[in-house]
Amino acid sequence: MTTVDIDRLERGRRAFEDVMTFAAPEDSTPATINMLDFVFAEVWQRPMLSRRARRFITLPCVAAADAEGPLRDHVYAALHSEDVTIVEMQETVLHFAVYAGWPKASRFNMVVDEQWERIHRERGVAPPPAPALLPLPTPSDPEARLAVGEQSFKDINCLPYAPLRDNPFQGAGILNFVFGEMWLRPGLGMKERRLVTVACVAFQDAPYPILSHVYAALKSRDVSFDEMDELALHFAAYYGWPKASHLNQVIGEQKLRVSQEWSAEAGAPS
Amino acid sequence: MTTVDIDRLERGRRAFEDVMTFAAPEDSTPATINMLDFVFAEVWQRPMLSRRARRFITLPCVAAADAEGPLRDHVYAALHSEDVTIVEMQETVLHFAVYAGWPKASRFNMVVDEQWERIHRERGVAPPPAPALLPLPTPSDPEARLAVGEQSFKDINCLPYAPLRDNPFQGAGILNFVFGEMWLRPGLGMKERRLVTVACVAFQDAPYPILSHVYAALKSRDVSFDEMDELALHFAAYYGWPKASHLNQVIGEQKLRVSQEWSAEAGAPS
Amino acid sequence: MTTVDIDRLERGRRAFEDVMTFAAPEDSTPATINMLDFVFAEVWQRPMLSRRARRFITLPCVAAADAEGPLRDHVYAALHSEDVTIVEMQETVLHFAVYAGWPKASRFNMVVDEQWERIHRERGVAPPPAPALLPLPTPSDPEARLAVGEQSFKDINCLPYAPLRDNPFQGAGILNFVFGEMWLRPGLGMKERRLVTVACVAFQDAPYPILSHVYAALKSRDVSFDEMDELALHFAAYYGWPKASHLNQVIGEQKLRVSQEWSAEAGAPS
């Protein structure tokens, strides 16, 4: 092994420790060496997206991938580094439940509890008490909730219309719960919700949601063009190149669409 | 080609047409031939699970698999055969949204609308008007909804306890929406919800949900032991052998657990 | 951009063209640049696994990932480069159907037909006629098929026992079809079936199948230890690091187990 190779490996180990807050694996299999060298020493170190922002892309990917070890490690690292608060983490689990399904979220939730306990055990202190659930931040009256859901659907999706109510998926699901309640909960910022959502629609890869959520993240200016390009690379590391290539193509198209809309809006007589 | 082999192929084509309500593909690639011969002429024809019951396993699998053609075909076949009503289909979409994530459900929902339109266009009649969303069947008051959610969580999961409220995933998600509202909607029977749920937890394959939902489906007697064994085979065809193999193992363990509980209950002094 | 950077990018473009048999994408987004630089100029160029062998890992990953563009591109490249014959490709589709489910395989099958047509259209010749399906290579008599399935289950899994017949998943599925017929079809070599299978169990990631198929691939000597380590890296690029980390850990454990068994066998008196 040349000095250059050793330096490079050492650089990978230090990058891993910096991101993960614990020691890098010792084995020298191709997968581990390239993970240290490429994923940690290159991808995580790039500008454009902060380490904190990268957490909100990584967490849904590891929660979706069913790999128990990496999920535990990344939950621990995000909380232990204090990049992500426990309240943000728990809202991430709920947001993930909606966009990736309750069963995987159920495990994610358990791992969050475990790692939060572990961090406090390591620190020799008890975890703080959880905040109370009620009152909910959104109206209880069904008609009022649907009205709130319709407005927030339009605002969040940057669209002039909302779906019809007379369909259980749209009425009881999308308007009543997803946009009438979940997206409006405090405790997780809009930019962070965008990052989690784009990661989820990218691994779920149904054709319309990936378009609409990439579009809305850009159009709302919650995520910049450069940040979104960088998101595609980070996602490639955590969910593989085929889905990332598709995401990257969608991003290219939606950047163009948003740019054209912004030009038209700027040029329009006020 | 021997007469026996030709008969076998012809049998596969007829089975496909019977299930799918349209003509079988003509190509003779290994995948198509074996799909006709094994999936349609064998799996779908087996007793223990009706063709209707098999729809509720197939639909979540094709909706999760993101293969647009098969999704369209199976939605059409389920509605066109009248094995599944439009109300049941739409509730299946909402149930699937919760257990497999909103993005894939969004596409499933679109495909249902398209195929329902298509069936009525073919019949030369207009689709009937959709039923009204409101009033919702569950309480609006947050405290009352949580209480309903806690009770239905216990009933549906066959467990003596419900999760704590002071956690957004559990409180705002599980108790408030999933068990406080979604599972309680009329329009889809409990057995059908069980079939959809078990298929979803089997492809999501997070460790606890697969245990708990297989257990509850058996313990509640909504799905019999023989039906559950048959479900594993049907699932294998639609989501692949590795996840099915895990499901099959879980089923074996949960049948044992439920049998032991039933014996203990039968033997216990009243 | 420095000369070094331009050289590196040019190296990535040439590597892409070599593997994919068509020109590299022109955009300079982070995802594309790093795909050229890391995935094509590094991963695909590494020794230990041939370009042909890497096709049989890549194809199931892109077919599972549902990214239509990458699937089309990799099917085209594998056939156009003549690394994979049409017969091998079609058997790969059938093998994938079993390990990843029929819906995704159905789309994969369609893409294979399209790209095979396209290659012949580009060459200005008609595709050759498909080989006759029948007679099937395996017995038609159900009892004989089950007996063949039991034997091939033991041989392929390197296990002294086969599952019981009295369970639909195991009897009608595993013994009758998967091992009684599918694995025994000619047209795809055992090493290639191992590569496809390990990729599939790695993205499906059910706990036991990943263990048993990594074990059997190594124990049978169809895949060497070094090839398997390299497979984990290739898989990381195509399905993301979290699942690849889990695979890599399983590989480490199974290498140890197989080494110990080989030592015991070598040391045992005959």
Side-chain angles (χ1 to χ4, degrees):
Chain A
M1 219 184 243
T2 67
T3 316
V4 172
D5 289 335
I6 291 173
D7 283 359
R8 207 168 146 185
L9 195 54
E10 190 47 39
R11 189 182 62 128
R13 291 230 158 88
R14 276 200 308 271
F16 182 98
E17 284 169 32
D18 182 53
V19 173
M20 300 307 287
T21 75
F22 55 86
E26 291 293 327
D27 70 290
S28 57
T29 55
T32 296
I33 296 292
N34 281 276
M35 179 184 75
L36 296 176
D37 191 45
F38 178 66
V39 179
F40 286 95
E42 292 199 23
V43 175
W44 275 89
Q45 307 307 315
R46 292 172 56 91
M48 291 305 164
L49 276 179
S50 67
R51 197 178 74 178
R52 170 176 153 84
R54 290 179 189 274
R55 304 280 189 201
F56 291 100
I57 306 162
T58 310
L59 287 165
C61 289
V62 292
D66 282 333
E68 189 111 345
L71 174 57
R72 219 159 29 216
D73 291 348
H74 280 285
V75 166
Y76 177 83
L79 293 170
H80 190 227
S81 65
E82 300 186 4
D83 284 347
V84 177
T85 69
I86 185 67
V87 168
E88 289 175 321
M89 182 64 87
Q90 289 179 329
E91 290 298 331
T92 298
V93 173
L94 177 60
H95 199 103
F96 174 85
V98 167
Y99 283 93
W102 244 268
K104 284 178 195 284
S106 165
R107 192 222 328 240
F108 188 3
N109 196 48
M110 251 181 278
V111 169
V112 169
D113 285 349
E114 275 168 26
Q115 298 303 309
W116 188 235
E117 278 288 326
R118 174 184 160 198
I119 287 167
H120 285 82
R121 207 167 47 244
E122 287 174 358
R123 291 178 183 162
V125 294
L133 176 66
L134 299 178
L136 294 173
T138 41
S140 301
D141 174 66
E143 181 57 46
R145 271 164 71 96
L146 287 171
V148 164
E150 283 161 351
Q151 189 56 49
S152 86
F153 182 94
K154 293 182 206 173
D155 295 343
I156 291 167
N157 290 293
C158 307
L159 288 174
Y161 54 84
L164 292 179
R165 298 170 174 203
D166 293 343
N167 173 308
F169 171 77
Q170 294 171 182
I174 290 280
L175 299 176
N176 169 59
F177 179 65
V178 179
F179 290 93
E181 180 161 349
M182 195 277 295
W183 272 88
L184 301 177
R185 291 178 56 83
L188 187 62
M190 194 49 91
K191 176 172 187 164
E192 288 72 25
R193 289 193 184 276
R194 299 287 191 191
L195 298 174
V196 172
T197 307
V198 173
C200 288
V201 293
F203 60 68
Q204 288 243 339
D205 69 11
Y208 291 97
I210 192 172
L211 299 188
S212 66
H213 283 291
V214 167
Y215 168 77
L218 295 171
K219 187 70 192 283
S220 64
R221 303 185 199 261
D222 287 332
V223 179
S224 75
F225 283 23
D226 284 345
E227 287 173 325
M228 190 62 92
D229 282 343
E230 191 64 29
L231 188 160
L233 171 61
H234 196 93
F235 179 80
Y238 283 91
Y239 231 90
W241 246 272
K243 284 178 189 275
S245 287
H246 177 56
L247 173 61
N248 204 44
Q249 192 195 325
V250 168
I251 291 170
E253 291 160 5
Q254 298 306 314
K255 286 196 302 189
L256 195 64
R257 175 182 165 201
V258 168
S259 299
Q260 287 167 345
E261 289 179 3
W262 281 340
S263 297
E265 286 159 23
S270 61
Chain B
M1 216 182 249
T2 67
T3 316
V4 172
D5 290 332
I6 292 173
D7 284 358
R8 204 168 146 185
L9 197 55
E10 189 47 38
R11 188 183 64 126
R13 291 229 157 88
R14 277 200 307 269
F16 182 98
E17 285 168 33
D18 181 53
V19 173
M20 299 307 287
T21 75
F22 55 86
E26 290 294 327
D27 70 291
S28 59
T29 54
T32 297
I33 296 294
N34 280 277
M35 178 183 77
L36 296 176
D37 191 46
F38 177 65
V39 180
F40 286 95
E42 292 197 25
V43 175
W44 276 89
Q45 306 308 314
R46 292 172 56 91
M48 290 305 165
L49 275 179
S50 67
R51 198 178 73 180
R52 170 176 154 84
R54 291 179 187 275
R55 304 282 189 199
F56 292 99
I57 306 161
T58 310
L59 287 165
C61 289
V62 292
D66 283 333
E68 189 110 347
L71 174 57
R72 219 160 30 218
D73 291 348
H74 280 285
V75 166
Y76 177 83
L79 293 170
H80 190 228
S81 64
E82 301 185 4
D83 284 347
V84 176
T85 69
I86 185 66
V87 168
E88 289 174 321
M89 183 64 88
Q90 289 179 328
E91 291 296 331
T92 298
V93 173
L94 177 61
H95 199 104
F96 174 85
V98 167
Y99 283 92
W102 245 268
K104 285 178 193 281
S106 164
R107 193 226 322 246
F108 187 5
N109 196 48
M110 250 182 279
V111 169
V112 169
D113 284 350
E114 275 168 27
Q115 298 304 309
W116 189 235
E117 279 289 326
R118 173 183 162 202
I119 287 166
H120 286 82
R121 208 168 48 244
E122 287 173 0
R123 290 177 184 162
V125 295
L133 175 66
L134 299 178
L136 294 173
T138 40
S140 303
D141 173 67
E143 181 56 47
R145 272 163 71 94
L146 287 172
V148 164
E150 284 161 350
Q151 188 57 49
S152 87
F153 182 94
K154 293 180 206 175
D155 294 344
I156 291 166
N157 290 293
C158 307
L159 289 174
Y161 55 82
L164 293 180
R165 298 169 174 204
D166 293 343
N167 173 307
F169 171 76
Q170 293 171 184
I174 291 279
L175 298 176
N176 170 57
F177 180 65
V178 179
F179 289 92
E181 180 162 349
M182 196 277 296
W183 272 87
L184 300 177
R185 292 177 56 82
L188 188 62
M190 195 47 92
K191 177 173 187 165
E192 288 72 25
R193 291 193 184 275
R194 298 288 190 191
L195 298 174
V196 172
T197 306
V198 172
C200 289
V201 293
F203 60 68
Q204 287 241 339
D205 68 15
Y208 291 96
I210 192 171
L211 299 189
S212 67
H213 284 290
V214 167
Y215 168 77
L218 295 171
K219 186 71 191 281
S220 64
R221 301 185 200 262
D222 287 333
V223 179
S224 75
F225 284 22
D226 285 344
E227 287 173 325
M228 190 62 92
D229 282 343
E230 192 64 29
L231 188 160
L233 173 62
H234 197 94
F235 178 80
Y238 282 92
Y239 225 87
W241 249 268
K243 285 180 191 276
S245 168
H246 177 56
L247 173 61
N248 201 47
Q249 191 194 329
V250 169
I251 291 171
E253 291 160 5
Q254 298 306 314
K255 286 196 303 189
L256 195 64
R257 173 180 167 202
V258 167
S259 299
Q260 286 168 344
E261 289 179 2
W262 282 340
S263 297
E265 286 158 23
S270 58
Chain C
M1 219 184 244
T2 67
T3 316
V4 172
D5 289 335
I6 292 173
D7 284 359
R8 206 167 146 185
L9 196 54
E10 189 47 39
R11 189 182 63 127
R13 291 229 158 89
R14 278 200 306 272
F16 182 98
E17 285 168 31
D18 182 53
V19 173
M20 300 307 286
T21 77
F22 55 87
E26 291 293 327
D27 70 290
S28 57
T29 54
T32 296
I33 296 292
N34 281 276
M35 178 183 76
L36 296 176
D37 192 47
F38 177 66
V39 180
F40 286 96
E42 292 199 24
V43 175
W44 277 88
Q45 307 307 314
R46 292 170 57 90
M48 290 307 165
L49 275 179
S50 67
R51 199 179 72 181
R52 170 175 154 83
R54 290 179 188 275
R55 303 281 189 200
F56 291 100
I57 306 162
T58 309
L59 287 165
C61 289
V62 292
D66 285 331
E68 189 111 346
L71 173 57
R72 221 159 29 218
D73 291 348
H74 280 286
V75 166
Y76 177 83
L79 293 171
H80 190 228
S81 65
E82 302 187 4
D83 284 347
V84 177
T85 69
I86 185 66
V87 168
E88 288 174 322
M89 182 65 87
Q90 289 177 331
E91 290 298 330
T92 298
V93 174
L94 176 60
H95 199 102
F96 174 85
V98 166
Y99 283 92
W102 244 270
K104 284 176 193 281
S106 165
R107 193 226 323 243
F108 186 4
N109 200 45
M110 251 180 279
V111 169
V112 168
D113 285 350
E114 274 168 26
Q115 298 304 310
W116 188 234
E117 278 289 325
R118 174 183 162 201
I119 287 167
H120 286 84
R121 207 168 50 245
E122 287 174 0
R123 291 178 182 160
V125 293
L133 175 68
L134 302 174
L136 293 172
T138 40
S140 301
D141 173 66
E143 179 57 44
R145 273 163 71 96
L146 286 172
V148 163
E150 284 161 349
Q151 188 57 47
S152 86
F153 181 94
K154 293 181 205 172
D155 294 344
I156 291 166
N157 290 293
C158 306
L159 288 174
Y161 54 83
L164 293 179
R165 299 169 174 202
D166 296 345
N167 172 307
F169 172 77
Q170 295 172 180
I174 290 280
L175 298 177
N176 168 59
F177 179 64
V178 180
F179 290 93
E181 180 161 348
M182 196 276 296
W183 272 88
L184 300 177
R185 292 176 57 86
L188 188 62
M190 194 49 92
K191 177 173 187 165
E192 288 73 24
R193 290 193 184 275
R194 298 288 191 192
L195 298 174
V196 172
T197 306
V198 172
C200 289
V201 293
F203 60 68
Q204 288 238 341
D205 68 15
Y208 290 97
I210 192 171
L211 300 188
S212 67
H213 284 290
V214 167
Y215 167 77
L218 295 171
K219 187 70 192 283
S220 65
R221 303 185 199 262
D222 287 332
V223 179
S224 76
F225 283 22
D226 284 344
E227 287 173 326
M228 190 62 92
D229 283 342
E230 191 63 29
L231 187 160
L233 171 60
H234 196 93
F235 179 80
Y238 282 91
Y239 231 91
W241 247 273
K243 284 179 190 274
S245 287
H246 177 56
L247 173 62
N248 204 44
Q249 191 195 327
V250 168
I251 290 170
E253 291 159 5
Q254 298 305 314
K255 285 196 302 189
L256 196 64
R257 174 182 166 200
V258 167
S259 298
Q260 287 168 343
E261 290 180 1
W262 281 341
S263 297
E265 286 158 23
S270 59

